[in-house]
């Protein structure tokens, strides 16, 4: 690690303050160019701990930047991992308040819920499917705290991978009942289809993103607990939204889920 404990705590306070106050900031590596991956995840962990100390539950995990479309959109080359906290979760069809966000975008995702723990190293798609209770449609609302979405990967990791809000819903299916590679999705904004894709856009199979998360956590001596909700990453590019927009994600064989932005 290149940053001391005080700097990590100060950066966590700064980034969480930006999240809670809907304020943007230059990317933190501008002032801390020496920051390494361990520092980045330590800052994310400190943000997580700040929320837990306030009594907020961690309600899930997420993989991000798992599709080539997203990687190309953001000019990066590898996935990142973050957490979902209680205030991030919205009910199906809920209103999402844009005034609480900086510059929200939505991503169509497949959510997994585990029934058994998953631990790396060596976790693979087969292990993920065997440990999955069910899969269901999910929309992630991302909201990078970095000005104009200008960042590098380490800054994104520290910022909890832009996690802001999410909704899951539609029809949950057993992972064994669906071929997630060929499962088609349509994302509609105000009734107009704006993005299309299939599960294979996420690392060839969305379960591969969950395996990568298990291996990432395994390298840190952690695991994905049983009963964890995990967003596997945007299947298409993220789509910008503003107040007045209604977004619906339709997933083949799994119904639909939506949000309204007010
Ligand atoms: O969920 C994600 O794909 C994370 C994206 C992080 C970068 C961004 O804000 O687009
Ligand atoms: Mg996402």
């Amino acid at each position: 690690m290149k940053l001391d404990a005080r700097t990590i705590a100060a950066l966590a306070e700064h980034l969480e303050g930006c999240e809670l106050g809907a304020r943007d900031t230059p990317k933190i590596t501008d002032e801390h160019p020496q920051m390494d991956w361990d520092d980045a995840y330590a800052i994310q962990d400190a943000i997580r701990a700040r929320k837990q100390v306030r009594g907020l539950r961690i309600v899930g995990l997420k993989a991000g930047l798992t599709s080539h479309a997203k990687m190309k959109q953001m000019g990066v080359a590898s996935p990142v991992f973050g957490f979902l906290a209680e205030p991030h979760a919205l009910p199906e069809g809920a209103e999402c308040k844009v005034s609480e966000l900086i510059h929200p975008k939505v991503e169509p995702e497949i959510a997994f819920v585990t029934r058994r723990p998953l631990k790396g190293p060596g976790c693979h798609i087969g292990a993920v499917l065997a440990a999955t209770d069910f899969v269901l449609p999910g929309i992630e609302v991302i909201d990078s705290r970095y000005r104009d979405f200008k960042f590098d990967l380490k800054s994104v990791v520290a910022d909890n991978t832009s996690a802001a809000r999410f909704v899951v819903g539609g029809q949950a299916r057993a992972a064994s009942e669906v071929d997630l590679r060929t499962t088609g999705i349509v994302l509609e904004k105000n009734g107009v289809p704006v993005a299309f894709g299939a599960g294979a856009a996420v690392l060839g199979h969305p379960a591969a993103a969950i395996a990568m998360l298990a291996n990432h956590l395994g390298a840190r001596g952690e695991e994905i607990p049983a009963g964890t909700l995990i967003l596997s990453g945007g299947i298409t590019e993220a789509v910008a939204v503003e107040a007045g927009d209604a977004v619906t994600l339709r997933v083949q064989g799994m119904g639909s889920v939506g949000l309204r932005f007010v």
Side-chain angles (χ1 to χ4, degrees):
M1 296 194 46
K2 303 288 189 309
L3 303 182
D4 59 33
R6 242 172 95 162
T7 307
I8 284 171
L11 289 170
E13 184 178 1
H14 172 62
L15 286 174
E16 206 208 5
C18 289
E19 177 192 351
L20 300 179
R23 284 192 310 275
D24 69 6
T25 178
K27 65 180 190 304
I28 57 175
T29 47
D30 288 352
E31 281 203 18
H32 303 278
Q34 76 281 30
M35 187 174 113
D36 66 17
W37 289 107
D38 289 337
D39 294 318
Y41 277 104
I43 295 165
Q44 184 190 116
D45 288 347
I47 293 173
R48 179 177 170 142
R50 289 175 63 84
K51 293 185 189 301
Q52 288 176 304
V53 160
R54 296 201 302 277
L56 298 174
R57 288 183 51 231
I58 302 305
V59 297
L61 300 173
K62 60 166 283 188
L65 304 173
T66 51
S67 73
H68 290 300
K70 265 298 289 195
M71 288 185 204
K72 189 167 163 219
Q73 182 182 34
M74 304 321 302
V76 300
S78 61
V80 289
F81 305 102
F83 67 86
L84 303 166
E86 202 180 314
H88 296 152
L90 294 175
E92 183 160 15
E95 292 184 345
C96 179
K97 292 192 186 127
V98 170
S99 60
E100 295 175 356
L101 302 169
I102 304 162
H103 42 199
K105 295 183 185 179
V106 291
E107 299 188 322
E109 310 208 8
I110 302 289
F112 288 64
V113 176
T114 56
R115 67 166 163 243
R116 288 205 296 270
L118 273 167
K119 193 168 170 76
C123 186
H124 50 72
I125 290 176
V128 172
L129 294 178
T132 296
D133 200 353
F134 54 85
V135 291
L136 74 172
I139 297 173
E140 183 180 20
V141 182
I142 54 166
D143 192 37
S144 174
R145 270 53 72 169
Y146 298 118
R147 195 156 298 153
D148 303 324
F149 275 85
K150 289 205 178 94
F151 47 57
D152 49 44
L153 269 192
K154 288 175 192 148
S155 296
V156 168
V157 164
D159 183 33
N160 190 24
T161 66
S162 310
R165 302 284 185 273
F166 73 95
V167 61
V168 292
Q171 191 185 341
R173 300 285 300 270
S176 56
E177 278 177 18
V178 279
D179 179 355
L180 289 175
R181 296 168 307 163
T182 55
T183 297
I185 68 102
V186 180
L187 182 68
E188 294 175 0
K189 185 162 97 170
N190 304 324
V192 179
V194 289
F196 312 84
V202 171
L203 298 169
H205 193 304
I210 312 302
M212 281 185 84
L213 170 62
N215 291 328
H216 160 79
L217 292 176
R220 312 173 81 211
E222 298 169 25
E223 64 179 20
I224 302 175
T228 302
L229 172 85
I230 310 153
L231 294 177
S232 59
I235 291 170
T236 68
E237 286 182 18
V239 174
V241 285
E242 55 186 25
D245 286 339
V247 171
T248 303
L249 169 63
R250 301 185 192 283
V251 179
Q252 189 182 0
M254 291 188 224
S256 63
V257 63
L259 279 180
R260 287 178 300 125
F261 291 84
V262 296

